[in-house]
Amino acid sequence: MSGKTVHAPLITVITPTHNRREAVLRAVESVRSQSMPRFEHIVVDDGSTDGTAAALAGIRDPRLVSVGAKWRGANAARNAGIERARAPIVTFLDSDDVYLPHRLERTLTWFDADPALEVLISSYVSLKGGHATNCINRDAFLNSATLERTLVAETILIAGSAITARREALLAIGGYDSDIARMQDRELLLRASARNCLRTSTGRSTIRRIRFRDVATAMSKPMRT
């Protein structure tokens, strides 16, 4: 452990991993390199047998919290991270993705500017076979019904590492459904949209699927009149 003073985190990053030692170390380094230093990064090692736990234990950074778990799947691991999170804002990073350097700083700017904001969805860059694709959501404000339609019709671009939310909002809907293995991000957002009339907006991107760009789509409670 480092002797540096540790301030309360403003945002918690949650990474589930299972037997992806080299990939998760790259993901962790992308978080440690953020321009905004007041974060907590919880890596839930979901029963890895490839030396992941020892590799994470060797990183001397008090902001990194490694949690061992019996293998129950990525969604249960995400929920374990949500329960343990100390920050009021929670975001996710899959172990085979990385953040660009200003991801957390720009994400927090959205939440600081709008206290009613509950969920934010980033645009991202997808890298496959050396080819980069910009996955950008149009700038828009959507109510709950419209958001639901876009999710069902798959006309909004979703990636697990592009979702950020207030911790209390995630707890209110029960977090991720640990019984499903696919489309869990859309399912989570569908339940979030049913809970409130949500406002969504888009901006720049901040991640990469293996590298994400800036922040894009936001959902919040209705504005008070």
Side-chain angles (χ1 to χ4, degrees):
M1 292 288 287
S2 168
K4 294 180 180 179
T5 301
V6 180
H7 296 284
L10 301 177
I11 187 168
T12 296
V13 180
I14 297 171
T15 297
T17 191
H18 177 72
N19 285 343
R20 283 179 170 174
R21 180 181 180 275
E22 296 306 318
V24 75
L25 291 177
R26 180 182 60 197
V28 167
E29 188 56 36
S30 78
V31 178
R32 295 180 70 210
S33 300
Q34 289 294 297
S35 59
M36 199 290 296
R38 287 185 60 183
F39 62 80
E40 167 188 54
H41 189 184
I42 299 176
V43 178
V44 184
D45 180 10
D46 200 22
S48 295
T49 57
D50 64 348
T52 292
L56 292 172
I59 299 174
R60 299 181 63 81
D61 190 330
R63 300 170 300 181
L64 176 64
V65 179
S66 180
V67 179
K70 181 179 283 189
W71 196 86
R72 294 174 55 209
N75 289 338
R78 291 183 181 98
N79 288 340
I82 294 168
E83 290 286 346
R84 191 182 182 103
R86 293 189 296 132
I89 308 297
V90 172
T91 192
F92 301 91
L93 177 63
D94 289 349
S95 57
D96 57 349
D97 291 337
V98 298
Y99 285 158
L100 291 187
H102 301 290
R103 159 60 151 98
L104 299 183
E105 180 182 356
R106 290 172 179 167
T107 295
L108 285 174
T109 296
W110 284 73
F111 284 93
D112 289 343
D114 185 355
L117 184 65
E118 284 198 336
V119 180
L120 185 67
I121 304 167
S122 297
S123 295
Y124 54 94
V125 177
S126 177
L127 294 181
K128 293 183 180 179
H131 177 70
T133 302
N134 291 327
C135 300
I136 306 296
N137 291 308
R138 269 190 325 169
D139 191 11
F141 288 91
L142 308 177
N143 61 25
S144 180
T146 305
L147 174 63
E148 182 178 8
R149 287 196 298 271
T150 64
L151 289 168
V152 172
E154 299 187 19
T155 54
I156 189 170
L157 298 167
I158 301 295
S161 299
I163 296 174
T164 305
R166 295 195 187 275
R167 180 174 178 268
E168 62 183 19
L170 291 171
L171 292 174
I173 61 172
Y176 282 85
D177 186 339
S178 59
D179 293 327
I180 61 177
R182 297 181 66 252
M183 306 296 285
Q184 65 270 10
D185 305 311
R186 289 183 184 276
E187 192 276 338
L188 177 85
L189 293 172
L190 281 169
R191 282 188 286 117
S193 69
R195 176 172 175 257
N196 290 302
C197 179
L198 300 175
R199 178 168 61 95
T200 73
S201 68
T202 61
R204 295 177 299 170
S205 36
T206 49
I207 312 159
R208 270 191 178 177
R209 254 203 107 97
I210 310 257
R211 279 204 166 79
F212 278 124
R213 289 186 14 177
D214 272 333
V215 173
T217 302
M219 303 192 301
S220 72
K221 295 178 181 177
M223 296 180 66
R224 295 181 179 85
T225 56

